[in-house]
Amino acid sequence: MTVAMLMKNTIHAATKVFDKRLLPSWNIRYLPLKLLNPVPSDIEIAKKQKPKDIDVLAEEIGLLPEEVNLYGKKKAKVSLDVLNRLKNVDDSKYVVVTGITPTPLGEGKSTTTIGLAQALGSQLNKNVFACVRQPSQGPTFGIKGGAAGGGYSQVIPMDEFNLHLTGDIHAITAANNLLAAAVDARIFHESTQKDEALYSRLVPQKKGIREFSTIQIRRLEKLGINERDPDKLSPEDRTRFSRLNIDPDLITWQRVMDTNDRFLRKITIGQSPTEKGRERVAQFDISVASEVMAVLALTTSISDMRERLGHMVVATSTTGEPVTADDIGVTGALTVLMRDAIQPNLMQTLEGTPVFVHAGPFANIAHGNSSILADMIALKLAGKFGPDGFVVTEAGFGADIGMEKFFNIKCRRSGLRPHAVVLVATIRAIKMHGGGPTVVAGKPLAKEYSEENLELLEAGFSNPRKQIENAGYFGVPVVFALNRFANDTDSEVETALRLARESGAIDAVCASHWSHGGAGAVDLARSVIKAAESKSNFNFLYPLELGIYEKIETIAKKIYGADGIELLPAAQAKVELYTKQGFGNLPICMAKTHLSLSHQPELKGSPRGFVLPIRDIRVSAGAGFLYPLVGTMSTMPGLPTRPCFYDIDIDPHTLDVTGLF
């Protein structure tokens, strides 16, 4: 009898462990807020809230200890093994937060993402995850400041969030620059060695044995060379294998660093006498503009990431062939450098709601969304016992850029289908689109933005109306979220909400999460729940089989409201080249200003009667998209006269960081 009882208890305990691994139960403790009026600075609020230890939060949301890699006490990386453990769990509801065309000050997408997640969790008891991008060090020390949300809707600790976090951007920088160094080194060695010497050094004898490495075999396969004994290759095949014949004038891979340094926008490299006169003009981009970052954001596994890194095109040969990271032989090393970066970073909101902070691709030349993997893991963790939980993910810039790329690129790659769109707006931005004075970061706002002006508001609603229409092209219901400021009058708020409903939003809600945390976004959260339960007929804007020209034209006409597009000579040549090279079926990632629906930042509202000029087209073959350049895109920001770093310091006694915002 005793043995039988022991066996029964063992089976019962094993069953409980199995159930926990399969369907983790959330038993989460939310953190109370101590609201102050006026609202203190972001960093003051963040410092006064004591976050839970991250291992405690991880246990609350059903993660197992072996799935959590701690980085100190307040942040951790989460293993991709979670996806396999929870593969039979239904995904939760999937909500994307976007915005109208913003002012240079931003309209609060990140703050709304966090505030909405706090409301769904602490106020309405939903299993909920927020997923946001990791900010670059560039704006943190430049002019914009951090990106942890704001007020009483933030990710904490905000200093760790905005600085090194777990080193993902450093890993991207290292991988990117290893590849850049490999490209120039390969050109140098090919130009200074004869065929046989080059081949012998690429495939050396080791302990009397000569063999190809795994990545060299991939190059042989690409070239259609079947021989695997290095000594039996013909002289012609040895030359084909060894020589990439990179055209130095057609190198597209640049070096990166995560600092705003305008003097690195164009440089000359190779000036040392040891490089034997092989100088060339090059440049630095900011790290988040690296294609390695875009690959990280769009990958679905470590093996998928390795393949994508290998497919990245770094240059063109003298015969017009694309040269990839695989050809250079560096793919495995890049993957090793990115081994830890692929794991999403777990943090929390001011109210103790879980947040994944992962990837931060440049929103102009890339797709400006956090990672697919973060969303996938969050959807499983929040999806206990079916799709009643929520994942709130943010798309960068206005809906014409971030949301369009979220649907056409990110969702196409992930296979995930969103249930609702939250379109964030402010009275300030709507008035600007109605003809209000220019808004400039760092300068006081004109009186039109602090005084009631319904005429400006109604005129400017052409922009939110167009962005609501844009979401409609994808068949997803829209909730209009008005981020209310202190100077906004009741009449202005009521007018904006009425116009949003008349424009096709399933609901329009005013929210005060910046000043009240989750409690200020309860109405918004309830509207999002209803929207997510309504009928959704998701579809893409275009099929991939459509030609490059036609895909660009579809985006320009439908999303921007253009009459058509004009391919300038360089762009026309790229259409022909990329179609020939087999890149014609990739989705399109438009690189244009985020300050207007058109290509001209000064054109506000919803411009009409313009033709969109396409200056050039480039390929991100590893990330898996083409990006047409509309105007000039700076990939290395510069520091202003008075950067944010003037205010940033550390208390030498407590080690507390001050001055971040």
Side-chain angles (χ1 to χ4, degrees):
M1 178 65 74
T2 302
V3 173
M5 290 181 64
L6 287 171
M7 291 180 65
K8 181 179 179 181
N9 290 338
T10 301
I11 293 171
H12 180 67
T15 302
K16 287 180 66 177
V17 171
F18 178 79
D19 289 342
K20 183 178 180 182
R21 285 175 174 264
L22 185 63
L23 292 171
S25 177
W26 283 31
N27 183 23
I28 192 166
R29 175 180 64 89
Y30 292 107
L31 305 176
L33 294 176
K34 297 179 181 178
L35 303 177
L36 298 176
N37 188 15
V39 177
S41 69
D42 290 350
I43 197 164
E44 287 181 274
I45 293 172
K47 284 164 61 177
K48 289 181 179 178
Q49 183 69 301
K50 184 180 179 181
K52 294 176 282 190
D53 283 354
I54 205 66
D55 58 339
V56 173
L57 176 62
E59 183 178 6
E60 288 177 344
I61 61 176
L63 286 166
L64 305 177
E66 60 266 30
E67 296 168 342
V68 181
N69 301 313
L70 302 179
Y71 279 66
K73 292 185 176 294
K74 307 305 178 187
K75 56 186 185 291
K77 281 195 164 291
V78 174
S79 170
L80 306 190
D81 292 343
V82 178
L83 288 173
N84 185 57
R85 174 169 67 88
L86 301 181
K87 61 185 178 182
N88 295 321
V89 173
D90 291 334
D91 285 349
S92 63
K93 292 289 196 302
Y94 194 32
V95 177
V96 59
V97 177
T98 184
I100 69 170
T101 304
T103 70
L105 304 178
E107 311 315 311
K109 288 193 309 299
S110 298
T111 306
T112 301
T113 300
I114 302 305
L116 173 58
Q118 290 181 160
L120 287 165
S122 68
Q123 306 299 310
L124 300 180
N125 297 312
K126 299 290 185 181
N127 288 357
V128 59
F129 243 103
C131 293
V132 297
R133 289 181 292 167
Q134 179 180 352
S136 164
Q137 180 178 290
T140 298
F141 291 103
I143 191 169
K144 186 181 177 185
Y152 288 102
S153 294
Q154 293 186 57
V155 181
I156 54 173
M158 71 96 79
D159 55 342
E160 296 184 30
F161 175 94
N162 282 309
L163 299 175
H164 304 284
L165 198 56
T166 58
D168 292 352
I169 293 180
H170 300 317
I172 288 162
T173 303
N176 183 101
N177 292 344
L178 174 62
L179 180 51
V183 170
D184 284 305
R186 186 58 175 264
I187 293 173
F188 175 82
H189 292 305
E190 285 190 27
S191 66
T192 57
Q193 299 177 54
K194 293 183 178 180
D195 288 358
E196 190 58 36
L198 180 64
Y199 181 73
S200 295
R201 287 186 171 91
L202 285 172
V203 196
Q205 280 194 359
K206 296 181 179 179
K207 297 181 179 180
I209 299 174
R210 196 181 195 190
E211 58 185 4
F212 294 112
S213 67
T214 301
I215 199 166
Q216 288 178 325
I217 291 174
R218 290 218 295 268
R219 174 153 174 80
L220 292 171
E221 291 172 346
K222 177 179 178 179
L223 295 171
I225 299 173
N226 296 320
E227 182 59 63
R228 294 297 177 264
D229 185 341
D231 293 322
K232 292 183 179 180
L233 254 65
S234 67
E236 293 77 15
D237 283 345
R238 292 186 182 197
T239 299
R240 290 174 60 212
F241 169 82
S242 302
R243 295 203 175 275
L244 302 179
N245 294 318
I246 295 171
D247 186 335
D249 294 329
L250 297 178
I251 294 172
T252 54
W253 196 261
Q254 310 296 346
R255 289 161 172 80
V256 300
M257 64 186 302
D258 198 34
T259 302
N260 290 357
D261 192 343
R262 66 191 319 123
F263 279 86
L264 294 179
R265 289 171 176 168
K266 192 167 289 293
I267 59 174
T268 301
I269 63 174
Q271 291 186 348
S272 169
T274 56
E275 274 43 80
K276 302 179 181 180
R278 289 169 180 81
E279 295 182 5
R280 70 178 182 89
V281 175
Q283 70 184 56
F284 270 78
D285 298 332
I286 197 158
S287 294
V288 292
S290 170
E291 188 179 348
V292 179
M293 174 65 90
V295 167
L296 175 66
L298 289 170
T299 195
T300 55
S301 67
I302 192 78
S303 58
D304 175 67
M305 182 174 69
R306 183 174 60 187
E307 288 301 308
R308 286 174 170 271
L309 291 172
H311 291 156
M312 295 187 304
V313 174
V314 299
T316 300
S317 73
T318 53
T319 57
E321 296 299 316
V323 179
T324 67
D326 248 11
D327 294 323
I328 299 292
V330 75
T331 305
L334 300 182
T335 309
V336 168
L337 286 171
M338 295 293 293
R339 180 190 62 181
D340 296 329
I342 196 174
Q343 300 179 35
N345 304 296
L346 178 64
M347 296 188 76
Q348 63 193 285
T349 71
L350 283 166
E351 297 186 20
T353 312
V355 179
F356 273 142
V357 184
H358 199 217
F362 214 59
N364 287 114
I365 64 168
H367 63 296
N369 284 256
S370 61
S371 78
I372 286 174
L373 281 169
D375 288 1
M376 290 173 67
I377 295 174
L379 285 164
K380 292 299 183 186
L381 289 170
K384 181 180 181 292
F385 302 126
D388 192 44
F390 281 82
V391 169
V392 182
T393 193
E394 178 194 0
F397 285 171
D400 55 301
I401 298 181
M403 182 192 71
E404 183 269 315
K405 295 175 182 180
F406 172 82
F407 289 138
N408 282 320
I409 297 175
K410 184 177 179 180
C411 290
R412 198 188 295 267
R413 173 61 192 152
S414 69
L416 301 174
R417 297 295 178 259
H419 295 83
V421 170
V422 176
L423 182 70
V424 179
T426 61
I427 297 294
R428 173 184 67 197
I430 299 172
K431 286 181 176 179
M432 179 196 69
H433 287 295
T438 302
V439 176
V440 180
K443 292 186 177 180
L445 288 170
K447 62 180 179 61
E448 284 83 353
Y449 299 110
S450 58
E451 298 175 359
E452 183 174 291
N453 192 320
L454 296 179
E455 184 179 348
L456 275 183
L457 186 69
E458 295 198 22
F461 212 85
S462 61
N463 187 272
R465 187 177 295 114
K466 180 68 178 98
Q467 301 289 27
I468 293 170
E469 178 186 282
N470 287 343
Y473 286 128
F474 299 94
V476 182
V478 180
V479 175
F480 180 82
L482 187 66
N483 189 12
R484 184 168 189 172
F485 293 169
N487 290 327
D488 301 339
T489 68
D490 290 343
S491 294
E492 288 176 328
V493 170
E494 290 168 6
T495 299
L497 298 182
R498 172 180 58 80
L499 291 172
R501 295 188 187 100
E502 292 173 357
S503 300
I506 196 170
D507 200 0
V509 183
C510 184
S512 60
H513 41 279
W514 180 80
S515 55
H516 298 104
V522 173
D523 290 343
L524 174 60
R526 291 196 174 109
S527 292
V528 167
I529 292 171
K530 290 181 181 178
E533 291 171 348
S534 64
K535 187 176 181 181
S536 177
N537 298 303
F538 180 78
N539 55 269
F540 297 116
L541 191 67
Y542 53 79
L544 292 181
E545 296 73 25
L546 208 60
I548 296 173
Y549 179 96
E550 289 75 18
K551 284 184 282 197
I552 298 172
E553 184 182 51
T554 298
I555 295 171
K557 285 185 172 181
K558 288 192 173 182
I559 302 298
Y560 308 153
D563 288 345
I565 64 172
E566 177 190 8
L567 290 185
L568 300 181
Q572 181 60 53
K574 291 294 180 62
V575 168
E576 296 167 6
L577 175 65
Y578 293 147
T579 301
K580 178 183 176 182
Q581 291 180 339
F583 299 131
N585 285 344
L586 293 179
I588 300 299
C589 185
M590 299 291 283
K592 82 167 186 72
T593 178
H594 63 290
L595 297 175
S596 171
L597 282 164
S598 76
H599 57 291
Q600 297 175 278
E602 66 275 10
L603 292 182
K604 305 302 181 183
S606 182
R608 289 291 185 270
F610 66 95
V611 174
L612 195 73
I614 309 300
R615 179 172 63 85
D616 198 359
I617 305 174
R618 295 176 185 168
V619 63
S620 287
F625 54 72
L626 299 173
Y627 60 101
L629 301 180
V630 184
T632 302
M633 292 293 117
S634 175
T635 51
M636 172 55 81
L639 290 171
T641 304
R642 192 187 188 284
C644 298
F645 62 64
Y646 272 77
D647 301 311
I648 297 172
D649 206 343
I650 190 168
D651 186 315
H653 303 293
T654 65
L655 301 185
D656 286 341
V657 175
T658 59
L660 282 175
F661 68 95

